[in-house]
Every structure is written in structure tokens, then in C-alpha cells.
Amino acid sequence: MFRLDTDPTLLLESEERRQLRVVLRELLKETCGPEEVRKQAAGPRGHDRLLWERLAGEIGVQALAVPEEFGGAGYTFSELAVALEETGRVLCPAPLLPTVVLAGHTLLRSGDRQACQRWLPGIADGSLTATVAGFPQAAHVTAERGAGGWVLRGEADFVLDGEGADLILVAAEAPDGTRLFACEPDHGTGAGTGAGTGLGVGSGTCERVARRVLDPTRRQALVRFRGAPAEPVGEAGQAAAIMAAVLDAGRVALAAEHVGGSAHALDAVLEYVRHRTQFGRPIGSFQVVKHRLADLLVDLEGARSASAYATACLAGGRAELPVAASSAAVSCSGAYRLATAEYVQLHGGIGFTWEHPAHLHVRRARADEALFGTADDHRLRLAGLLGLTGRTDGASRTNGASRTDCSSRTD
């Protein structure tokens, strides 16, 4: 049985994190307005490379949770969560989730010092983007020994930032079971030029095809391995435990993003209802609007607490992380869905237009609902973890839901 308690002071924001939030919000306000986000998402790479470099060089975001011995700043996930909340607030399309959270945690959890020394410094200084394939999305990839070493064959679909990532960490079936491998696709043929078109890019051994997905600010791709050279990461038999831990880290990161997105939606609605008048008075003065905003605030504060608790568990390496991660996934995705619905509806007719930014948050909220498992998946997982059923995960439904939701088309 898990202990569901922690030191309350760990849930509070320190002065250092508050300052980090202020600096980040100022930079993102300058570079990630609604129109800038649309342009970045529609660009060949899916994000602004200059902004990515500024995040690394001016603030050190990518290095926050990377140990100093691997070129990082040596802080914890608590500091990184501040950055994720702020980027989620503006829908910044920079690949922090796949690069820093998923790939970064995979390397660290593997315990493979050689792999960490080779790739983590590049992640920390912003010169390398990375992602994972084979989890949580379904994949059919095998690894075999070739004349020059290990090679990968098969395909992985709906890989986050799969079209442009410099490094892909792949869960593949090897002769001795599932193992993790590192593959560096060849970018020399113009990776990213087929963004959003369904055109394949990459080398002859690794083809990457952009998927047209519901959320344009979070790129995904089909990656086909055709004898792609790869190197093993970690030892045989570790993959399952590493993947489970990384997925929980992804859920905590996503919860932080959702808190930021929900807070933005509430702030935008409050600003609108203060100034929009009907029958000679601001619509925010009507009781029905007040009740809806109060309900949203309650949900947001609950989500914020769940996210803070899960972040503290991840930062502190606590055993109750699986419970905290799934709880945060349920609470934060639910709050974000409600916030985006109110964002649209309380703006009236303008909220339904293509020009208004509300629909971008709606798309992010709906696509993210199944990215690392749906709310129902996590409720079933929680029931198992707390001893209410014999089930301790939602893997069978999670992968299928992820493929279905994330592949939703925009037309």
C-alpha cells in the first residue's frame, strides 16, 4: 500500500522557481503569441529553432533537470515543471516533452553512463532534439545484429517530434527480449521538408512521414526503420521498468502543461467577461457566468495541487509516483477539458471562429487526453495500485486509445 502523504512545503513554489516563472513568461509573451505559435507550428520544423536556442542559452530550460556531470544544471523536475507549465500556457511548440522529459529520462533511467555522456550534454545545451518510439504508442520494431552492429527493422507510429528529432530512443524486440536502442537518423536529405504533407523524409534506412494530427502544435510522425544502425542503451531486461518510469514522468509533465493551459483559459475568459457588455452590464456580473467561472477555478486549483504533488513525487523519487502520476493525469486533463470548453463558450460567437486562439487549446486538450492513457485508463490503474482490483496498469487500452485519438484528422 502506498503512503499518500508528503511534506507540504515541497508543494510550495520557492522564490527561485517564482523568478524562473517570471523570466520564462516574459520571454514566451514576446515570442509565443497566438500568431507566432501558428507560424511556428506550420513551419518546416514545427517549432522556432531560435526560440529553442534562446530557451537553452538564456534560461537553460533544457538543462534544468539534467545532472551536472552530464552538462546540466543539476536541479530537479520541480524546476522543469515550472517551464512546462509556462510553455503549456502559451502552447509553445518547442519539443520539451519528447526531448527533455521522455528521451532525457530514458537515458538517465537506463543507467548507461556512456549513453548519457554521449547524448545528454547535447540535450542540455539545446543542440540536440530527441524522442522515444515504441512507448506509449504501438510499435512493431525488431533489432538484429548486422555485419556492422545492431540494426532496426519495422515501424513506430505517432512518434512525438518523430520527423525532425536528431535522436530516437526505440523499444525494439531483440533476441534476448525487449531492449532500448538509440538511433540517429540521417538529416542530410532534408528532414522536415514534408511537414504535415505525408511526404517521407530521412535516409534510406530510416524514413519519417509526418502525420496530420488533431493538435498542430505537437508534431507526430510515422518512423520506418529499414536496417537503420542503432546502439543498445542499458542492459537486457531493463526496458519494461524504464518505459514504465518514463511514462509516469511524461504524465507528470503533461499535467504541468495542462495546469498552464487551464490557467491561460481562465485568465482569458475573466478578461473577456469583464469588458463584454450585454443588457447594459458586463456579462461577468451575471450569476450564471459567475457560477461557471467558480466551478472552473475549483477544478483548476484541484489540478494545480495534483500536479504539484506528482511533481514532488517525481523530483524526490518517491514510491507513490505511479499513484500520483495517474491521479494528476485524471485531474489535470479533466480541468483542461473544462477550461477549454468554457474558453470557447463564454467568448460567445467569436470563440467558435478559426481566427480566435481558443480552438488551439481545445485541440491540445483533446489530443492530450489519450497521449499517455485516457482518464478511464488511469482510474482503472489507480484501482489496481490501491488494491481495489487486480489490475495495476492500463497498457492494453492506453496504446490503442493513443493511436486513435492522436491520429484524429483536422479536416
Side-chain angles (χ1 to χ4, degrees):
M1 182 66 67
F2 292 96
R3 289 172 50 240
L4 299 180
D5 62 319
T6 193
D7 182 354
T9 61
L10 296 177
L11 307 183
L12 301 177
E13 185 168 271
S14 66
E15 178 61 22
E16 193 170 40
R17 291 172 202 152
R18 189 194 67 78
Q19 293 177 4
L20 173 62
R21 185 183 302 279
V22 170
V23 172
L24 264 172
R25 188 169 297 186
E26 195 63 32
L27 173 62
L28 294 173
K29 181 180 179 181
E30 171 194 336
T31 58
C32 283
E35 291 307 312
E36 286 81 6
V37 167
R38 292 175 196 255
K39 290 177 182 177
Q40 292 175 34
R45 186 60 182 83
H47 70 272
D48 183 357
R49 186 70 194 189
L50 178 59
L51 173 59
W52 181 254
E53 293 171 354
R54 290 185 67 183
L55 288 172
E58 296 179 18
I59 304 178
V61 170
Q62 292 90 321
L64 285 172
V66 177
E68 291 181 286
E69 62 179 311
F70 301 125
Y75 290 101
T76 70
F77 191 86
S78 295
E79 286 70 32
L80 181 58
V82 173
L84 291 164
E85 186 176 331
E86 290 305 311
T87 55
R89 185 182 184 92
V90 297
L91 297 181
C92 176
L96 281 175
L97 177 63
T99 297
V100 180
V101 179
L102 300 182
H105 274 77
T106 298
L107 290 169
L108 288 171
R109 294 287 302 192
S110 73
D112 189 327
R113 291 188 60 82
Q114 183 176 353
C116 289
Q117 289 170 348
R118 179 173 177 180
W119 288 298
L120 280 177
I123 289 177
D125 66 21
S127 63
L128 181 76
T129 59
T131 190
V132 298
F135 59 105
Q137 67 282 10
H140 305 281
V141 183
T142 59
E144 58 189 53
R145 288 190 179 274
W150 289 95
V151 295
L152 302 178
R153 302 189 187 279
E155 63 181 41
D157 211 348
F158 300 105
V159 178
L160 295 173
D161 197 39
E163 189 186 14
D166 304 309
L167 171 70
I168 304 178
L169 299 173
V170 188
E173 291 299 322
D176 53 355
T178 303
R179 292 194 65 175
L180 294 172
F181 293 85
C183 175
E184 295 181 284
D186 180 11
H187 289 190
T189 55
T193 56
T197 65
L199 300 177
V201 295
S203 68
T205 59
C206 186
E207 179 187 9
R208 300 185 281 177
V209 182
R211 289 299 198 188
R212 189 175 183 184
V213 291
L214 180 63
D215 176 14
T217 66
R218 207 188 293 280
R219 289 278 184 88
Q220 299 180 52
L222 167 66
V223 182
R224 297 191 180 102
F225 301 99
R226 295 169 173 162
E231 299 180 23
V233 174
E235 301 295 330
Q238 289 184 320
I242 294 172
M243 291 160 62
V246 170
L247 287 178
D248 275 335
R251 289 162 184 140
V252 179
L254 210 59
E257 287 190 353
H258 291 172
V259 168
S262 300
H264 162 78
L266 178 58
D267 289 347
V269 170
L270 285 172
E271 180 66 19
Y272 182 76
V273 300
R274 285 193 189 105
H275 297 95
R276 176 70 169 92
T277 59
Q278 190 70 33
F279 305 111
R281 54 192 285 198
I283 63 174
S285 65
F286 295 116
Q287 191 174 42
V288 65
V289 175
K290 291 180 179 179
H291 286 175
R292 291 171 68 167
L293 292 175
D295 288 342
L296 177 53
L297 177 61
V298 169
D299 270 23
L300 172 57
E301 290 305 310
R304 197 185 300 278
S305 296
S307 175
Y309 177 65
T311 294
C313 288
L314 179 55
R318 297 176 66 90
E320 59 266 35
L321 174 61
V323 171
S326 283
S327 298
V330 173
S331 178
C332 297
S333 65
Y336 197 21
R337 181 167 187 167
L338 175 63
T340 56
E342 298 290 35
Y343 194 5
V344 172
Q345 293 177 19
L346 290 178
H347 272 81
I350 192 175
F352 290 86
T353 63
W354 187 259
E355 292 75 20
H356 198 275
H359 75 92
L360 294 174
H361 281 274
V362 173
R363 288 165 177 264
R364 171 66 70 89
R366 294 304 297 271
D368 281 359
E369 280 183 3
L371 191 58
F372 299 125
T374 66
D376 284 345
D377 290 329
H378 289 295
R379 290 187 181 99
L380 286 172
R381 186 187 189 215
L382 285 168
L385 289 169
L386 297 174
L388 303 179
T389 70
R391 182 172 181 166
T392 60
D393 61 57
S396 61
R397 292 185 57 194
T398 298
N399 285 339
S402 177
R403 289 177 61 93
T404 301
D405 190 83
C406 292
S407 62
S408 299
R409 298 178 64 88
T410 60
D411 54 354

